Amino acid sequence: MGKFVIRKTSTGVKFDLKAGNGEVIATSEVYTSDDACEKGIASVQKNAPVAEIENQTVEGFETVKHPKFEVYADKAGEYRFRLKATNGQIIAVSEGYKTVASCLNGIKSVQTNAPDAEIVEAE
């Protein structure tokens, strides 16, 4: 089972969503308060299971409504996803993946782990 790990940074607070094996599968922006971070987690828990996938690596890709996972290629040629809430705001992003298939597996992992993930403070 996955878990959200909340941790302090030099400029605020952020979360990582970790899969059952401890791998980070998504991370948040830096929030200014614990409350804002917890609202971000709640948004991921609500939106991830119902979000459609918009694969922007395919020519002529179909635009889908929010909430959605956007799959894209970064400047280094790796594939990443960002989860956008119903209001279009980015609420979680991924690491870089070597293949689109791996990126899509990352999305499945977020959809599986986020809804029931435990919320813990980093040690």
Side-chain angles (χ1 to χ4, degrees):
M1 178 140 118
K3 64 181 170 184
F4 286 97
V5 179
I6 297 174
R7 60 188 167 91
K8 306 280 188 230
T9 70
S10 59
T11 55
V13 64
K14 66 184 298 185
F15 66 79
D16 291 324
L17 174 58
K18 293 187 175 188
N21 64 2
E23 288 287 314
V24 174
I25 49 177
T27 192
S28 73
E29 65 179 328
V30 176
Y31 295 97
T32 54
S33 70
D34 289 352
D35 186 54
C37 186
E38 287 169 15
K39 285 181 178 157
I41 290 170
S43 184
V44 171
Q45 289 177 314
K46 175 183 162 202
N47 288 292
V50 297
E52 290 192 51
I53 297 171
E54 180 178 289
N55 187 346
Q56 298 177 352
T57 67
V58 178
E59 194 171 322
F61 66 88
E62 183 181 340
T63 303
V64 298
K65 292 187 319 193
H66 295 100
K68 65 182 171 181
F69 284 96
E70 292 178 341
V71 176
Y72 64 98
D74 66 15
K75 290 183 178 115
E78 291 190 318
Y79 299 97
R80 296 177 180 269
F81 66 78
R82 56 189 158 234
L83 173 58
K84 290 188 168 183
T86 49
N87 64 2
Q89 187 172 359
I90 297 171
I91 51 177
V93 297
S94 73
E95 63 184 7
Y97 293 94
K98 300 281 184 226
T99 66
V100 172
S102 297
C103 188
L104 294 173
N105 283 338
I107 291 171
K108 282 189 189 118
S109 186
V110 171
Q111 290 177 315
T112 301
N113 285 286
D116 303 317
E118 175 186 13
I119 301 169
V120 299
E121 296 279 336
E123 306 197 0

